[in-house]
Amino acid sequence: MPALTINGNTTTLDVPDDMPLLWALRDVAGLTGTKFGCGVAMCGACTVHLDGQPIRSCVTPVSSAVGKKIVTIEAIGNDPVGAKVQDAWRQIDVVQCGYCQSGQIMSATALLQSTPTPSDSDIDNAMAGNICRCGTYGRIRKAIKIAASK
């Protein structure tokens, strides 16, 4: 049974080592903010941070997360940058249907943690793997710029 550090808490989950982290988080740990989208790491809905880096939890086995810090959308607001991103998202009403937004916020937060004043190109590169069926890309870009300016 792997012990995982999720949102600052260490917990032992009774799951196989090869289970995708997404299902361990959602179905076992009860953290349902991380979404299943495509299952092949192409859409970004399942993005979480692993030791500060955005990863696709749908293709990451639990064994890869042992001994590392996992942060999900449920705790990203505890990070000062994550809180700014969430505030900017609310400020300009980025969300339409909302399904992809937890992954979008996780990717945007990782971008601003590594590049506090991103260019349009930086934003495009960091967010390229996150798909929004509602097409809120313009609002996402604007929210990232607002969060960067705070």
Side-chain angles (χ1 to χ4, degrees):
M1 289 191 288
L4 300 176
T5 302
I6 306 168
N7 299 332
N9 300 309
T10 301
T11 185
T12 302
L13 301 180
D14 187 11
V15 299
D17 287 342
D18 63 348
M19 174 184 264
L21 181 58
L22 170 67
W23 300 119
L25 292 171
R26 286 184 59 80
D27 294 349
V28 181
L31 299 169
T32 58
T34 304
K35 304 299 183 199
F36 172 79
C38 66
V40 293
M42 297 298 291
C43 74
C46 69
T47 303
V48 299
H49 292 182
L50 190 61
D51 279 348
Q53 297 300 309
I55 57 109
R56 303 300 196 240
S57 63
C58 70
V59 296
T60 302
V62 167
S63 60
S64 295
V66 173
K68 298 178 181 174
K69 295 177 184 175
I70 303 162
V71 177
T72 69
I73 191 68
E74 287 85 357
I76 200 65
N78 297 334
D79 176 275
V81 175
K84 289 176 188 178
V85 170
Q86 288 181 321
D87 286 344
W89 244 249
R90 285 188 292 271
Q91 179 182 336
I92 62 165
D93 294 323
V94 169
V95 178
Q96 193 163 323
C97 87
Y99 197 82
C100 70
Q101 294 302 314
S102 59
Q104 300 278 1
I105 288 170
M106 297 303 289
S107 292
T109 300
L111 166 64
L112 292 177
Q113 287 170 332
S114 67
T115 309
T117 53
S119 66
D120 285 346
S121 178
D122 293 330
I123 294 170
D124 291 345
N125 290 333
M127 302 304 290
N130 290 81
I131 297 171
C132 176
R133 289 186 62 182
C134 300
T136 64
Y137 300 112
R139 293 193 309 254
I140 289 168
R141 176 188 300 278
K142 185 175 180 182
I144 291 170
K145 289 183 176 193
I146 289 170
S149 72
K150 293 183 178 187

